[in-house]
Amino acid sequence: QPMHFVKSTENFRFVSVAAGGAMFAMSQSTCPANEVGTECSGIGTCNDPEDATLATCDCPFGTSGLACEFACPVGTAEDLALILENHNSAKFPDSVYEESVDGAIVGELCSGHGTCATGSAGCLCDEFWFGERCQHMCPWDNLKRPCSGNGTCVYSPEIEVSPYCECNRWHTKIMIDDGSGFEVLDEELNEINAAECAENFLAIQEPSGWCSYHDKDLGFELCYRSGLCGVCED
């Protein structure tokens, strides 16, 4: 029957050999260690079954990696404050984020809106949530619909810290090459797009020929030219 003892961080297994009953010490792999040599990063449990050739770490919730060396980030009070600040509560009083209803953020792994990725320190964010700890949410309306259901949520930190909406829009003055080097209106496609404008009760703006959802208070031009579209509610 094998016997175990521990010397420093190396495990040895003593095996009795039938011929003469001699005892031999066979070294076994220790559990994986982090960059400073701590087994399972000091937070996991070393799993070293007798029949295993490679010891492994059982990592606690919210950590991953061979040595439990990766820990996913958690949401902060500052993250929640930024979410509340970004809500247009004057225009959309029912859109204010509530942790008790919409999910806890502060102190939660990946801000409560993502999962800890296996084998890394990163978060896999839920739909409409962004950032290294899923702390940024897409703006929504009183019914808590991202971009009012009328646009696409975009997260480009180099442009804007928080996600923003690109509203659905259609162009009714699309030009195409007529085959001889001259551009003419694409009558078929423009007719389809004009029908979309009418179906969505959107006015076609002249002279551009675009119709688009936008923030009525900011106006079509700011949305069309500068991307300031609110939550595409109008």
Side-chain angles (χ1 to χ4, degrees), residues 6-224:
V6 177
K7 181 180 180 180
S8 182
T9 59
E10 186 79 17
N11 290 337
F12 290 85
R13 179 191 297 176
F14 275 83
V15 180
S16 176
V17 179
M23 303 290 292
F24 294 88
M26 300 174 62
S27 66
Q28 267 191 296
S29 300
T30 59
C31 262
N34 61 15
E35 60 183 9
V36 295
T38 305
E39 276 192 358
C40 301
S41 302
I43 58 175
T45 302
C46 187
N47 179 24
D48 185 19
E50 291 182 356
D51 60 351
T53 57
L54 179 65
T56 58
C57 294
D58 288 333
C59 301
F61 177 72
T63 62
S64 63
L66 290 177
C68 310
E69 69 271 34
F70 301 120
C72 272
V74 299
T76 66
E78 289 75 17
D79 294 334
L80 178 60
L82 182 60
I83 287 174
L84 295 176
E85 178 184 323
N86 285 342
H87 273 86
N88 188 352
S89 56
K91 189 170 185 177
F92 302 110
D94 295 331
S95 72
V96 177
Y97 192 92
E98 298 178 70
E99 284 194 292
S100 61
V101 176
D102 304 308
I105 289 177
V106 180
E108 296 294 322
L109 285 170
C110 301
S111 305
H113 291 285
T115 55
C116 197
T118 303
S120 74
C123 291
L124 298 175
C125 298
D126 297 339
E127 188 178 14
F128 306 121
W129 290 83
F130 306 88
E132 68 277 5
R133 53 185 181 275
C134 309
Q135 75 274 29
H136 297 303
M137 65 168 285
C138 186
W140 55 24
D141 63 5
N142 267 334
L143 298 178
K144 297 190 174 179
R145 300 174 300 177
C147 299
S148 304
N150 299 321
T152 302
C153 197
V154 178
Y155 179 58
S156 299
E158 65 279 6
I159 298 176
E160 179 64 42
V161 172
S162 299
Y164 58 92
C165 294
E166 286 187 349
C167 301
N168 296 339
R169 62 182 184 177
W170 293 268
H171 195 198
T172 63
K173 291 187 177 181
I174 297 173
M175 306 294 289
I176 57 172
D177 192 312
D178 67 355
S180 60
F182 292 96
E183 286 198 332
V184 295
L185 288 169
D186 186 335
E187 300 291 351
E188 182 178 354
L189 184 54
N190 289 335
E191 185 177 337
I192 292 173
N193 287 346
E196 289 283 356
C197 295
E199 185 177 331
N200 289 280
F201 304 101
L202 297 172
I204 296 174
Q205 306 292 320
E206 296 297 347
S208 67
W210 282 96
C211 74
S212 172
Y213 284 98
H214 57 279
D215 183 318
K216 184 169 61 177
D217 294 338
L218 295 175
F220 169 84
E221 287 297 325
L222 275 179
C223 179
Y224 173 64

